[in-house]
Amino acid sequence: MSVNKPSPPPTSGIKTGDILHILFRHKWKILIIAILGVIGAGVLPFVMSPPWESEAKLLIRYVIESKSPTQVGPEEGRVKSPDSRGETVIGSELQILTSYDLAYQVADIVGPQKIL
C-alpha cells in the first residue's frame, strides 16, 4: 500500500524574487518615466507663472523712549526720530500714501458716482 502524502498548500503573496523580476523586466519603462518626471518638474516653474504675488511692508509707529524712574534728565519723555532730518519717517508716510491698498479703500469709499 502506498500512502499519498498531502502536498503542502500553495503560498500566496508576493515574494522578493517576484518584485525583482518585475523591476528588471520593466526597468526601461521605469527609467524613462522617472526621467520625464524630473524634466517636467524642472520645466514647470518656467512654463507656468504663479497665480499671485505678495508684497508686505511693516509700519512701526513712533515710539516714546521710556527710561527707568531713577534716570532724570532733560530728554525724559521726548519722541525720538530715527534720523535727524526725518527722511525715514517721510519715506514711510510716502509708502503708505502711494500704496495700492489705500487707493483701493479710497476708491471704495468715494465711489464712482461722486467722481463722475
Side-chain angles (χ1 to χ4, degrees):
M1 264 212 222
S2 73
V3 177
N4 289 338
K5 292 182 181 178
S7 63
T11 58
S12 62
I14 299 176
K15 298 177 188 170
T16 308
D18 297 335
I19 294 173
L20 291 175
H21 176 71
I22 291 171
L23 287 177
F24 283 118
R25 187 173 177 196
H26 299 285
K27 64 185 169 198
W28 292 112
K29 292 178 190 175
I30 294 170
L31 186 64
I32 289 171
I33 290 172
I35 290 173
L36 288 176
V38 169
I39 291 172
V43 170
L44 190 65
F46 296 109
V47 174
M48 294 182 61
S49 62
W52 52 270
E53 186 175 312
S54 177
E55 182 179 319
K57 294 185 181 181
L58 180 64
L59 170 66
I60 300 175
R61 300 268 180 200
Y62 311 119
V63 178
I64 297 177
E65 187 178 299
S66 61
K67 294 185 179 186
S68 65
T70 59
Q71 293 178 337
V72 179
E75 294 185 16
E76 189 173 310
R78 279 185 55 195
V79 175
K80 291 233 173 185
S81 177
D83 59 358
S84 61
R85 295 182 352 185
E87 291 177 4
T88 57
V89 175
I90 292 173
S92 298
E93 296 296 331
L94 185 62
Q95 288 290 326
I96 293 169
L97 291 174
T98 58
S99 72
Y100 175 77
D101 291 331
L102 182 65
Y104 183 79
Q105 289 174 358
V106 169
D108 191 40
I109 291 171
V110 172
Q113 295 84 9
K114 292 182 183 177
I115 294 173
L116 298 175

